[in-house]
Amino acid sequence: MKKYIIIYLLFGCITLMNAQNTEYMLSSEYKQALRQEFYRLVNAHRKANGLRELEVHARLEEYADIRALEQKARFGHTRPDGSPAGSGWYNSQNFMNTRFAENAFSVHRLDPDPLKAANYLFTRWRDSAGHNRHMLYNFSPPIQMALGIVPELDSSGRVSSGAIWATGFDEYVGILPDNLTSIGTNAYFNSLFTSVTIPPGVTTIGFGAFDACKFLGSVVIPAGVTRIEARAFSRCDELVSVTFLGVISANNFRSDDSFPGDLRLKYLAGGPGTYTRQRGSNTWTKQ
């Protein structure tokens, strides 16, 4: 009889502890502790890599929470209605000109200890090359960050959540190493640059070097560049200004898809100078 009483008491204590854990995990205190530890880990990671710390932005946290909730309906970087991940941020009344980028994750069982939960999220993103690159971007000027996480009790009684680590920024100037002599294949693929100046010592821009840099608006190609490979700046939809400071022969600038639209053809006909286009147009004009 005593054996059953002890088992019953142990079971009751475990049930009570689980209930208390769940209540805490659904609280704002748990969420705030998780966020603060995550931010500390990100900035310590950046500092260890010689980068400036990021600031937390309250409004961005609100939008990141929305995106975290949306992960259950549609995981990834597209919103449930099919619009881009940052559409709600772009359309916010006070942030019409800002940019948005995110890391996404789905946590099926959050740890009751918010510090352990934060470390789990951070580690998963740090150990993924693409997500870690986002955390270690050399942002300039200072960038805002936010962690979106909305713990919920699922049908199995577990506390789970979608998770979004987001950055919002006005400008992201690409700062490339001064000693670069060649930019290799896919070197800055899908980076967040809004503008970039190629260092003067660079002679070759490789295949896909800046492919899919969807926010890149302007670039300066120094006089020392004598070769541009295919797809070097392809799918740079926001690119509207390119300045060529030197001469590149047709044989070393052989692919029309090196840039959007007809820029290669216009450059080969017009030579060095600044070329611009209207956003979305395939037609470039020398200024």
Side-chain angles (χ1 to χ4, degrees):
M1 183 66 177
K2 290 181 179 179
K3 179 179 179 180
Y4 290 114
I5 291 174
I6 291 171
I7 292 173
Y8 176 79
L9 289 174
L10 285 173
F11 180 77
C13 287
I14 292 171
T15 302
L16 179 60
M17 290 173 63
N18 286 339
Q20 289 174 337
N21 280 342
T22 299
E23 183 178 357
Y24 173 57
M25 292 171 71
L26 298 175
S27 71
S28 58
E29 290 79 9
Y30 174 88
K31 181 175 176 177
Q32 186 62 15
L34 193 161
R35 270 180 165 156
Q36 292 306 313
E37 177 64 7
F38 182 84
Y39 297 147
R40 186 192 70 78
L41 290 168
V42 169
N43 277 331
H45 184 42
R46 290 179 59 81
K47 187 175 181 179
N49 284 273
L51 300 171
R52 74 171 75 192
E53 296 184 354
L54 302 182
E55 301 174 355
V56 178
H57 194 289
R59 286 287 300 277
L60 188 59
E61 280 187 333
E62 294 175 7
Y63 186 65
D65 276 351
I66 292 172
R67 289 289 300 127
L69 279 173
E70 290 178 344
Q71 295 306 297
K72 291 193 173 183
R74 182 170 183 168
F75 181 77
H77 303 300
T78 302
R79 304 189 71 188
D81 64 1
S83 61
S87 60
W89 180 248
Y90 303 145
N91 295 332
S92 177
Q93 181 178 356
N94 297 320
F95 298 96
M96 289 294 290
N97 297 317
T98 63
R99 309 290 183 171
F100 177 88
E102 66 180 19
N103 287 350
F105 190 63
S106 181
V107 187
H108 298 295
R109 185 191 296 273
L110 281 166
D111 195 291
D113 183 338
L115 304 188
K116 291 182 179 179
N119 186 68
Y120 175 74
L121 273 175
F122 169 76
T123 302
R124 291 298 296 265
W125 280 326
R126 183 200 61 194
D127 293 346
S128 168
H131 296 101
N132 187 51
R133 185 170 64 175
H134 182 194
M135 290 198 290
L136 293 180
Y137 273 133
N138 189 15
F139 295 108
S140 176
I143 308 302
Q144 295 83 39
M145 69 170 169
L147 177 67
I149 190 157
V150 185
E152 291 184 318
L153 197 62
D154 66 19
S155 58
S156 301
R158 300 174 302 188
V159 178
S160 61
S161 179
I164 292 290
W165 183 69
T167 52
F169 53 99
D170 292 315
E171 296 292 337
Y172 175 15
V173 179
I175 303 173
L176 308 189
D178 290 337
N179 61 353
L180 271 184
T181 58
S182 178
I183 300 176
T185 298
N186 294 328
Y188 296 99
F189 171 79
N190 198 31
S191 291
L192 303 180
F193 301 140
T194 55
S195 65
V196 63
T197 297
I198 310 298
V202 170
T203 60
T204 300
I205 301 175
F207 178 90
F210 296 92
D211 183 20
C213 290
K214 59 185 178 181
F215 299 130
L216 183 61
S218 64
V219 62
V220 177
I221 310 293
V225 171
T226 58
R227 187 177 190 87
I228 298 178
E229 301 283 359
R231 303 188 66 82
F233 293 90
S234 67
R235 297 188 293 174
C236 294
D237 297 334
E238 296 290 312
L239 189 60
V240 294
S241 176
V242 178
T243 298
F244 295 91
L245 298 180
V247 176
I248 307 170
S249 70
N251 285 338
N252 288 334
F253 192 2
R254 300 178 63 181
S255 179
D256 286 342
D257 69 357
S258 296
F259 286 89
D262 64 357
L263 180 57
R264 173 183 172 273
L265 296 176
K266 292 293 178 63
Y267 168 78
L268 292 177
T274 296
Y275 294 78
T276 63
R277 65 168 180 163
Q278 294 295 316
R279 186 176 284 105
S281 172
N282 287 320
T283 303
W284 292 79
T285 303
K286 186 177 182 181
Q287 300 305 299

